[in-house]
Amino acid sequence: EVEFWRRKAAHLASLRTQLRGDPMRRVLRVLEVTKSSQHPPLLRLAREVEAAYSEAEESARYLGALQPPIVALDASEGLDDLVAAFRPLLHSLLLVWRHSRAYHSSTRLSHLLCLVSNAVAAKGRAHLNSTLHATTPPTEAAAALGSTLRACGTLKALYFEYRSAAFEERPDRPWPTPQVF
């Protein structure tokens, strides 16, 4: 997600530079003087590129704050490391939601939460795959499954804790309840 916005900001910055350059200014001036019907659409295009660049740059900047907790989540070796990454990640999500215009919407926040949930599910699956074998005694298998479910339950509980904090702050913009919970 962060890389998407960084690439988009870079591409739009290039367009923005071209649209602000002297050659384009001369073209716009000629179109304006000749009262060309192409002048208003080109001006509108320049405004749209400017707005899209602003959104992409802001999104990349705010989502960059998620990078350290996401790296910690990805680097987690066991369930304890995984669970330890949840609170900083959700706190960073709250900060992004609080300050970013683009990620203040339920749709975009839901997308981020799905990405997080998928990463946690993959970590849980990896834990179970490394723990469970055909010869694993049922009690050990049940314990491994139970610890994985507790880790997922911790994420869910922390999510609802941060969701409540967000609701207290902005009742008009509640966090979504993702399908994964």
Side-chain angles (χ1 to χ4, degrees):
E1 190 78 2
V2 178
E3 281 308 310
F4 166 79
W5 287 110
R6 284 183 179 152
R7 281 192 307 275
K8 186 171 183 173
H11 291 147
L12 288 167
S14 174
L15 278 174
R16 185 175 172 233
T17 300
Q18 291 172 41
L19 288 170
R20 289 178 164 187
D22 286 338
M24 184 53 90
R25 284 187 189 166
R26 286 192 293 273
V27 167
L28 285 170
R29 182 70 182 130
V30 167
L31 292 174
E32 180 182 21
V33 169
T34 61
K35 296 186 184 345
S36 169
S37 63
Q38 297 304 310
H39 185 249
L42 266 175
L43 286 177
R44 189 171 40 256
L45 174 66
R47 283 191 302 272
E48 289 170 1
V49 166
E50 193 66 39
Y53 169 76
S54 179
E55 178 190 32
E57 192 274 329
E58 179 189 271
S59 294
R61 184 175 64 245
Y62 283 115
L63 290 179
L66 292 174
Q67 208 107 26
I70 288 171
V71 167
L73 183 92
D74 286 342
S76 62
E77 298 271 332
L79 291 179
D80 291 339
D81 290 346
L82 182 66
V83 169
F86 293 162
R87 187 171 294 277
L89 180 58
L90 287 167
H91 185 75
S92 296
L93 276 173
L94 178 65
L95 292 175
V96 167
W97 173 83
R98 183 183 291 157
H99 297 290
S100 169
R101 287 176 288 171
Y103 282 88
H104 204 68
S105 74
S106 292
T107 305
R108 291 227 174 128
L109 188 60
S110 289
H111 177 70
L112 286 177
L113 291 167
C114 281
L115 293 174
V116 168
S117 297
N118 289 341
V120 170
K123 286 291 188 174
R125 223 176 5 263
H127 170 72
L128 290 174
N129 287 340
S130 69
T131 307
L132 302 179
H133 306 285
T135 59
T136 305
T139 54
E140 285 181 36
L145 186 56
S147 61
T148 303
L149 289 173
R150 277 190 298 283
C152 292
T154 301
L155 175 62
K156 182 178 179 179
L158 285 171
Y159 169 78
F160 282 108
E161 177 184 320
Y162 278 91
R163 183 176 183 251
S164 293
F167 183 77
E168 286 176 22
E169 193 173 307
R170 290 289 308 267
D172 59 319
R173 294 216 183 237
W175 276 22
T177 302
Q179 297 296 325
V180 294
F181 295 148

